[in-house]
Amino acid sequence: MFKHIFSGMLLTLVLASPVFAGSAADDIQIIDPWAREVPPGLTTSAGFLGMKNTGDKAHRLVAAESSNTGMVELHTHINDNGVMRMRPVEDIPVAAGATTTLQPGGLHLMLMMIKKPLKAGEKMPITLIFEDGSKKDIEAEVRHFSMEKMNRMKMGH
Amino acid sequence: MKRLAWPLLVFFIYAAGAHAWSLFSSGKEERYPGMGGDFTLRSAGGDVSLKDFRGKVVLLYFGYTSCPDVCPTSLGALSAALKKLSPDEMAQIQPLFISVDPARDNAKRLQEYSHYFHPKMIGATADLDYLKALAKRYGAYFRKVEVENSSLGYAIDHSSTIYVVDKDGTLTDMIQHSGSTKRILNHIRAVLTEAP
Ligand SMILES: [Cu+2]
């Protein structure tokens, strides 16, 4: 009897759990997550990554958080004839089978009120939260600007 | 035929005028007539004037230190380009970061920030009105905007261009797409070779 109730509870937990197969967190594959080292005296930086949707349903990144920041926001840059306008976005969509890339000059995780200065080579823990409430813990590699060569930038004229 | 004559005539007058002007002005044609010019800003090391750097090629960038992405990407690319220069070439260069956020960027912070990108880079700023007039003269744009649904407080929309001032203090080049090290390097080298 007791065993039955217990296994019933377990089943409910598994079913309700966001890590159950088919969740956004399961479908989304993270590619090369990194964060920019912060110049001395500053507490804002940006995080970048690719999100590949391996599922057959569209997903959306709706929020992010990190124990090393006071706040993480989802931002984009609008390139308006060479003027870069940084603005928050409500979510970042990833179409089924597609990859959405957060990269310099465009979409980024805005890391704000950073508690411990980010030093190149360290890992920055970040939790990504998707539209169905499922979460994905990632570790972004902190990079010095000289290590960013491979990160193309779409900005300027 | 008659329709063509007028524009042609205007063109010839213009061309002749421009030619005469270029002969008149020591044979050097100004690429950005009426733009650029001298200025004085404050830095951790005291006042900095463009005049102080006659004989050097000055690289100007307008930005602000709490800019999380555009400024560090541009300054990082600029820094990488400067590292590719020979000591002899570098001796002819003065990079200057101009903060358009004097409310948050004090002289000490600007110095630390600039040195992070290059030991020779000077960080400087001025009063907002002065900066506005200066940016306008160089063709740079910046505007403070309140950002809704964000704990940013405010952001500063800004253009991201490196302005190249030649050894005589004349604005001679603008490097757009300032995220590309190769592009910046090509532009710097071109200016260094065209100037004696
Ligand atoms: Cu941002």
Side-chain angles (χ1 to χ4, degrees), chain B residues 77-92:
Chain B
L78 171 60
S79 175
L82 295 179
K83 288 208 172 95
K84 291 209 162 76
L85 295 175
S86 71
D88 181 51
E89 286 172 314
M90 193 57 221
Q92 305 170 58

Side-chain angles (χ1 to χ4, degrees), chain A:
Chain A
M1 178 64 190
F2 188 74
K3 210 174 150 193
H4 261 89
I5 293 172
F6 184 74
S7 56
M9 273 167 68
L10 202 68
L11 189 67
T12 313
L13 265 173
V14 168
L15 282 172
S17 162
V19 291
F20 187 70
S23 77
D26 280 332
D27 286 352
I28 302 285
Q29 205 178 307
I30 302 300
I31 304 157
D32 190 31
W34 64 281
R36 178 176 282 124
E37 185 183 273
V38 189
L42 294 173
T43 57
T44 9
S45 189
F48 307 96
L49 64 144
M51 292 186 290
K52 185 178 181 195
N53 187 347
T54 60
D56 48 14
K57 238 175 60 189
H59 292 300
R60 285 177 296 123
L61 176 70
V62 296
E65 56 194 26
S66 169
S67 54
N68 190 29
T69 63
M71 171 79 72
V72 181
E73 291 183 355
L74 311 181
H75 282 186
T76 192
H77 277 105
I78 301 154
N79 183 343
D80 183 357
N81 276 311
V83 175
M84 303 301 282
R85 306 182 195 276
M86 186 171 75
R87 297 290 182 270
V89 290
E90 234 169 75
D91 51 46
I92 298 175
V94 194
T99 301
T100 299
T101 307
L102 284 68
Q103 62 191 340
L107 291 163
H108 57 277
L109 303 175
M110 182 80 168
L111 313 173
M112 301 160 85
M113 294 168 268
I114 292 169
K115 293 167 186 165
K116 183 176 150 278
L118 303 182
K119 284 277 156 248
E122 291 178 0
K123 299 278 186 189
M124 164 98 175
I126 298 172
T127 303
L128 304 175
I129 305 163
F130 296 95
E131 84 283 357
D132 56 1
S134 63
K135 295 182 179 184
K136 207 175 186 71
D137 290 328
I138 60 165
E139 291 215 311
E141 182 190 290
V142 180
R143 291 183 190 160
H144 184 256
F145 62 79
S146 62
M147 301 155 80
E148 289 176 24
K149 275 171 218 152
M150 57 288 207
N151 298 292
R152 285 253 162 259
M153 182 157 180
K154 289 183 199 154
M155 57 174 248
H157 194 288

Side-chain angles (χ1 to χ4, degrees), chain B residues 37-137:
Chain B
D38 279 322
F39 54 82
T40 301
L41 305 168
R42 48 174 190 265
S43 77
D47 280 358
V48 189
S49 296
L50 185 62
K51 281 201 194 88
D52 304 342
F53 306 119
R54 289 295 189 275
K56 283 189 179 171
V57 171
V58 183
L59 306 171
L60 304 175
Y61 186 81
F62 294 85
Y64 64 113
T65 68
S66 33
C67 167
D69 183 21
V70 173
C71 299
T73 303
S74 298
L75 294 174
L78 171 60
S79 175
L82 295 179
K83 288 208 172 95
K84 291 209 162 76
L85 295 175
S86 71
D88 181 51
E89 286 172 314
M90 193 57 221
Q92 305 170 58
I93 301 282
Q94 178 58 58
L96 183 57
F97 176 72
I98 303 174
S99 169
V100 294
D101 190 10
R104 289 189 292 203
D105 290 343
N106 61 38
K108 185 180 167 280
R109 179 159 159 171
L110 277 173
Q111 185 178 43
E112 282 180 347
Y113 185 80
S114 302
H115 286 179
Y116 174 79
F117 288 100
H118 197 278
K120 212 174 165 183
M121 192 181 293
I122 295 174
T125 192
D127 296 338
L128 207 53
D129 286 341
Y130 189 89
L131 291 168
K132 274 184 186 154
L134 174 61
K136 203 171 172 190
R137 277 199 277 137

Side-chain angles (χ1 to χ4, degrees), chain B residues 2 33 90 166 177 187 190 192:
Chain B
K2 222 180 168 192
M90 193 57 221
D166 71 11
H177 297 286
H187 278 253
L192 282 177

